[in-house]
Amino acid sequence: MLLVQIVHRIKKEWQIIVTVLAIYTFYFTLTSINWPQAQRRLKSDREPVVRIKVDDSWVYRPGKIYPPEWYAIPQKPDPTCKPKNNIYFLRTHQTGTSSVTNIFYRYGQENDLKFVMNALKLNLNYPGRINMHFLESAKPAMGYNILCQYSRYHKMDALRIMPDGTIFTTLLRHPVDQFLSVFHNHGIKKEIRNLQPHHNPYEEFFKNPKKLSLMASDNVFHLIQNSMSFDLGLDPLKFTNETAVDQLIKKLDKEFHFVMILELLDESLVLFRRLMCWDLQHMIYVKLSVNNEYSTSISPEIHEKILDWNSVDKKLYDHFYKKLQGIISEQDDDFHKEVAMLKKMNADFWRECYSKVLPVFDGNKVGYTLQDTHSDNRTCKILATDDVTQTHIIGLKQFKDTLPPSDILMVRNHMQNLNKHNPAMLKWADVYKVLDPENAAKLRSDL
């Protein structure tokens, strides 16, 4: 009897029931559909690479207050200054940061400094927030000194993990060359399926860049447009907001003590060494990747479209390029002599250490062979070692008591495979000598 009443009721009010079901279905569809732009909006905060709980109740309380002179670049070297050891280096993508990071790796290891890093990883949860819980739990007794892993800039995270008096710096590159380098070295043509059949992917991409960029995978989406500004903390939804862009540049100008420019790298390094009170020999570097001038192979129309597409990066670059030129103009007469000396030191070092350059591998990596006279020179080997391997080596030192044997074996296999393409880099036996000197002889016989 009850079932008959229910059926009768449904027949009588079926329109209402159908309407309710339709409304519910429409609502469920709207809330569950994967809107690319909306889903990616703040993915780095909402769904970071590693799920982390950020303690937003933390408040920055400065300890020792440093005078403005501490952060200022002197117009001439000060022979009485003492070296600064604390560095926050925000790595931007495809801007030549591998060579600069190698300088920091070398200096840090020579002076027994501690690096902010996740064990054996090249990034700090990029493009999400830094995994503060892990870093604080793994913090050395004397604290951290250098952060030069890939991360996205967040002021409070930086202040929380770095000691007072830290020098904040980063590296920028002309937006056209930087965009083309990202496009080539991160395989954008493969990541965006619609570009794969086209001989000229740049021309095809700029027919409808907004649509095609949404088709990119999560691995590269944040690198396709204004990636330097993204790395420095700008929300992609604010790329068209002139006020937000101006505020970002003003904020970075205040919070970063020095911004280097790849096109003026030697000048930047001399200024940085004056700021840090380091010796000029600490600034020696070797190119670890090929920063091809892809801009020579594109048409003027594509060149302009790239600048328009990366207008925020262009504004950012122009501001700090002009600022760097102003700093250079204020230096003493010996500044350009130092720059010339650094270039000569780089050339002499390369000529003494390496016999030839090997074919490019892994897309844009450069390999070398050592001169017979310098086959055991550790500095020559360190300068020729890529940033991933350097990260592994430092990670082994800082986390050697907690790493499982499988991770150590992975590092050994990685180094042995890369050594085939780059014989000048550090070998596993060189690393093991430092980690376990007592067993180094036994290891050598096993290998």
Side-chain angles (χ1 to χ4, degrees):
M1 187 68 179
L2 179 61
L3 182 61
V4 174
Q5 290 179 349
I6 293 174
V7 172
H8 180 72
R9 186 84 176 189
I10 291 174
K11 287 182 178 179
K12 186 175 180 181
E13 300 181 1
W14 66 271
Q15 297 95 335
I16 298 175
I17 296 173
V18 169
T19 302
V20 172
L21 288 174
I23 293 173
Y24 177 80
T25 302
F26 180 71
Y27 173 78
F28 178 81
T29 302
L30 283 178
T31 55
S32 62
I33 195 169
N34 182 27
W35 300 101
Q37 192 170 8
Q39 291 294 322
R40 298 181 197 271
R41 187 174 95 85
L42 288 176
K43 182 174 181 181
S44 60
D45 292 329
R46 192 181 69 257
E47 294 183 9
V49 179
V50 177
R51 291 182 178 276
I52 58 176
K53 182 179 180 181
V54 179
D55 182 9
D56 289 324
S57 63
W58 180 84
V59 178
Y60 174 60
R61 294 182 176 87
K64 181 179 178 180
I65 304 299
Y66 288 80
E69 295 78 19
W70 177 266
Y71 305 103
I73 300 175
Q75 296 180 1
K76 60 181 180 180
D78 181 3
T80 63
C81 67
K82 295 182 179 180
K84 304 180 180 77
N85 292 331
N86 300 323
I87 305 166
Y88 177 92
F89 179 54
L90 193 284
R91 289 192 67 173
T92 47
H93 287 77
Q94 299 301 318
T95 57
T97 56
S98 296
S99 297
V100 177
T101 300
N102 190 290
I103 294 173
F104 299 148
Y105 281 150
R106 190 171 77 253
Y107 182 86
Q109 292 180 85
E110 288 175 0
N111 293 276
D112 196 27
L113 303 180
K114 301 302 180 183
F115 291 82
V116 181
M117 64 187 333
N118 291 332
L120 309 185
K121 292 184 179 180
L122 192 60
N123 70 79
L124 297 171
N125 201 39
Y126 181 89
R129 289 280 294 276
I130 291 177
N131 191 343
M132 199 62 62
H133 175 73
F134 170 80
L135 293 179
E136 290 187 331
S137 64
K139 191 173 183 179
M142 300 300 292
Y144 292 112
N145 302 108
I146 299 176
L147 188 156
C148 57
Q149 306 297 90
Y150 284 111
S151 63
R152 196 167 176 220
Y153 180 58
H154 191 282
K155 181 181 178 180
M156 286 297 105
D157 288 350
L159 293 176
R160 184 170 179 175
I161 203 65
M162 298 304 297
D164 295 315
T166 295
I167 301 299
F168 283 59
T169 184
T170 187
L171 178 63
L172 302 179
R173 184 184 185 184
H174 191 280
V176 173
D177 289 323
Q178 191 268 346
F179 172 83
L180 294 175
S181 186
V182 165
F183 210 96
H184 179 268
N185 294 321
H186 287 269
I188 303 300
K189 182 178 179 179
K190 294 180 180 179
E191 295 286 348
I192 301 178
R193 187 170 55 185
N194 289 31
L195 298 179
Q196 293 178 11
H198 294 278
H199 177 68
N200 190 335
Y202 307 129
E203 186 174 332
E204 184 64 24
F205 176 79
F206 282 108
K207 287 180 180 178
N208 195 340
K210 291 184 178 180
K211 177 182 176 181
L212 290 174
S213 63
L214 291 175
M215 297 180 181
S217 70
D218 291 339
N219 295 328
V220 299
F221 176 80
H222 52 278
L223 300 176
I224 293 179
Q225 184 182 21
N226 295 314
S227 68
M228 292 187 291
S229 300
F230 175 84
D231 289 343
L232 287 163
L234 185 63
D235 185 337
L237 287 184
K238 297 180 180 179
F239 284 168
T240 57
N241 187 328
E242 291 292 334
T243 302
V245 171
D246 291 339
Q247 289 175 348
L248 171 77
I249 295 175
K250 184 178 180 180
K251 175 175 177 286
L252 297 175
D253 199 8
K254 179 181 179 181
E255 295 174 3
F256 278 75
H257 307 114
F258 182 50
V259 175
M260 294 180 273
I261 300 293
L262 180 62
E263 286 74 15
L264 296 171
L265 183 58
D266 292 322
E267 290 83 352
S268 296
L269 291 177
V270 170
L271 289 172
F272 186 77
R273 88 97 188 164
R274 290 186 171 192
L275 171 62
M276 301 299 294
C277 195
W278 291 1
D279 293 332
L280 190 61
Q281 64 181 9
H282 289 132
M283 299 293 104
I284 294 175
Y285 65 93
V286 171
K287 288 188 177 182
L288 299 174
S289 59
V290 179
N291 288 315
N292 292 320
E293 297 296 329
Y294 299 109
S295 58
T296 59
S297 62
I298 62 173
S299 65
E301 291 77 14
I302 295 297
H303 188 279
E304 290 303 315
K305 288 181 179 180
I306 292 174
L307 287 177
D308 183 62
W309 177 246
N310 295 278
S311 59
V312 179
D313 274 0
K314 183 180 185 302
K315 195 169 187 178
L316 179 75
Y317 175 86
D318 289 345
H319 173 84
F320 285 105
Y321 186 91
K322 183 178 180 181
K323 182 177 180 180
L324 179 59
Q325 287 183 317
I327 296 173
I328 292 174
S329 67
E330 297 173 351
Q331 298 301 299
D332 64 351
D333 296 336
D334 290 335
F335 172 77
H336 294 287
K337 294 179 182 178
E338 279 192 58
V339 173
M341 187 180 298
L342 176 60
K343 292 180 179 180
K344 184 178 184 301
M345 291 170 65
N346 280 328
D348 292 344
F349 183 88
W350 195 98
R351 187 167 51 251
E352 292 176 6
C353 281
Y354 313 114
S355 57
K356 62 179 179 179
V357 181
L358 299 178
V360 175
F361 65 98
D362 274 1
N364 69 331
K365 303 294 184 185
V366 180
Y368 300 93
T369 56
L370 288 169
Q371 296 278 10
D372 293 338
T373 55
H374 287 68
S375 58
D376 294 325
N377 188 302
R378 186 173 178 83
T379 303
C380 293
K381 293 180 179 180
I382 290 176
L383 263 73
T385 303
D386 65 284
D387 53 350
V388 175
T389 304
Q390 290 272 30
T391 300
H392 289 169
I393 293 171
I394 296 171
L396 286 177
K397 294 177 182 178
Q398 290 193 190
F399 301 97
K400 64 180 181 180
D401 296 331
T402 59
L403 288 175
S406 58
D407 283 356
I408 298 175
L409 182 63
M410 181 273 292
V411 174
R412 189 191 74 169
N413 293 340
H414 167 82
M415 293 183 68
Q416 289 177 341
N417 290 332
L418 276 188
N419 195 252
K420 300 173 185 177
H421 304 283
N422 185 13
M425 65 178 280
L426 285 169
K427 295 178 173 57
W428 173 247
D430 298 320
V431 178
Y432 203 78
K433 288 178 187 176
V434 178
L435 296 178
D436 195 348
E438 295 181 1
N439 293 326
K442 179 180 181 299
L443 175 81
R444 195 179 298 110
S445 61
D446 294 341
L447 293 176

